[in-house]
Amino acid sequence: MSTDTAAVVRATVEDRVLEIVLDRPPANALGAPIVDGLTAAVARLADDDVRAVLVRSAVPGYFAAGADIKQMGTLDGPSFAAYRDALRHPLEALAASRVPSVAAIDGLALGGGLELAMACTLRLATPASTVGLPEVKLGLIPGAGGTQRLTRVAGRGVALDLMLTGRSVDGTEAHRLGIVDRLVDGDVVTEARALARGLAASSAPAVASIIACVDAAAGDVAAGMAFEGEEVVRMITEGEAPEGIAAFLEKRRPVWA
């Protein structure tokens, strides 16, 4: 990873939480430095000591303001496709992982910034935060999963409203619409870090299985029920349920791997 990339995206692990910090003033534009940094950081999901992820910003007023418009203005079709694929790669890896991830939105999360947040398992924001997918104002559409994830997170009507108009909403409305999972009046990073540490301290097989089952609920009902049925038994045969049950009966805290 280059020095520039390392400077704009920092990744550290503490208490089994991989904390990814975006730090590219003035707005965390998702140009090559942040995209490359995210790719390197998300690769650490494979580390054995990572049980949860926190994605946050060190730039006041911004989670991430979206794509680097100046960079986009220099791209032709093939190079734009390469940029799309480069941005999609870390976001898809984050979304597909069974390691839970938490986005701490403190400020603006627009365009690719919101797409990054939606690739996370859970999103926390302040009432003063702002989210939106304004690509239509540039004659574009969200291309890093926005059309798909916003629809799944908030429904077709909300997705069409925000994307067709390009309007942004504050954290309070985003929470009401289901885009944000928790609204935090105080320090959103502190609460998001506490949530991530709590997830990291839970049974990893159970956490991963819950995420997989909830994802399966987006498809056929019968198939989802069948998958859930298999998973609950697998928690006994391959997971940590025996330890959890024994700890409950013995009135002690469970010891997870």
Side-chain angles (χ1 to χ4, degrees):
M1 185 167 59
S2 70
T3 301
D4 289 344
T5 297
V8 299
V9 179
R10 299 191 297 275
T12 58
V13 177
E14 185 176 350
D15 294 332
R16 292 189 167 185
V17 175
L18 170 63
E19 187 161 322
I20 301 174
V21 183
L22 310 184
D23 191 3
R24 189 191 182 197
N28 281 337
L30 301 180
I34 279 191
V35 172
D36 292 347
L38 279 173
T39 300
V42 170
R44 297 187 64 179
L45 284 167
D47 294 356
D48 290 339
D49 60 338
V50 172
R51 296 295 177 86
V53 181
L54 169 64
V55 182
R56 68 174 181 89
S57 168
V59 178
Y62 290 91
F63 177 73
D68 189 328
I69 305 301
K70 289 183 179 179
Q71 177 186 340
M72 289 172 57
T74 67
L75 305 179
D76 58 14
S79 56
F80 189 87
Y83 169 69
R84 173 205 63 200
D85 293 345
L87 177 56
R88 279 186 168 191
H89 176 72
L91 270 60
E92 291 301 306
L94 193 62
S97 176
R98 297 310 177 200
V99 175
S101 52
V102 181
I105 303 173
D106 190 3
L108 275 67
L110 301 176
L114 179 57
E115 289 176 308
L116 170 59
M118 289 194 297
C120 293
T121 312
L122 296 169
R123 286 157 295 285
L124 280 63
T126 67
S129 295
T130 301
V131 306
L133 295 173
E135 284 84 351
V136 69
K137 295 180 180 180
L138 299 176
L140 287 169
I141 68 170
T147 65
Q148 304 303 297
R149 292 199 175 93
L150 184 57
T151 302
R152 295 185 181 188
V153 165
R156 183 175 186 272
V158 171
L160 285 172
D161 179 2
L162 267 62
M163 288 187 286
L164 290 177
T165 65
R167 75 184 183 95
S168 300
V169 298
D170 63 21
T172 300
E173 185 172 359
H175 182 248
R176 180 180 65 81
L177 294 174
I179 303 169
V180 167
D181 300 294
R182 291 190 190 180
L183 196 62
V184 181
D185 287 325
D187 186 341
V188 68
V189 171
T190 296
E191 182 155 340
R193 186 179 290 120
L195 173 59
R197 287 178 175 174
L199 295 171
S202 297
S203 168
V207 168
S209 182
I210 288 168
I211 294 172
C213 287
V214 170
D215 287 346
D220 178 74
V221 174
M225 289 294 291
F227 182 70
E228 178 193 274
E230 293 170 357
E231 285 294 289
V232 70
V233 173
R234 193 172 70 82
M235 294 301 99
I236 293 287
T237 60
E238 302 176 22
E240 296 180 322
E243 165 61 13
I245 293 169
F248 178 83
L249 294 174
E250 296 166 12
K251 296 181 172 53
R252 59 174 175 83
R253 288 188 177 184
V255 178
W256 310 124

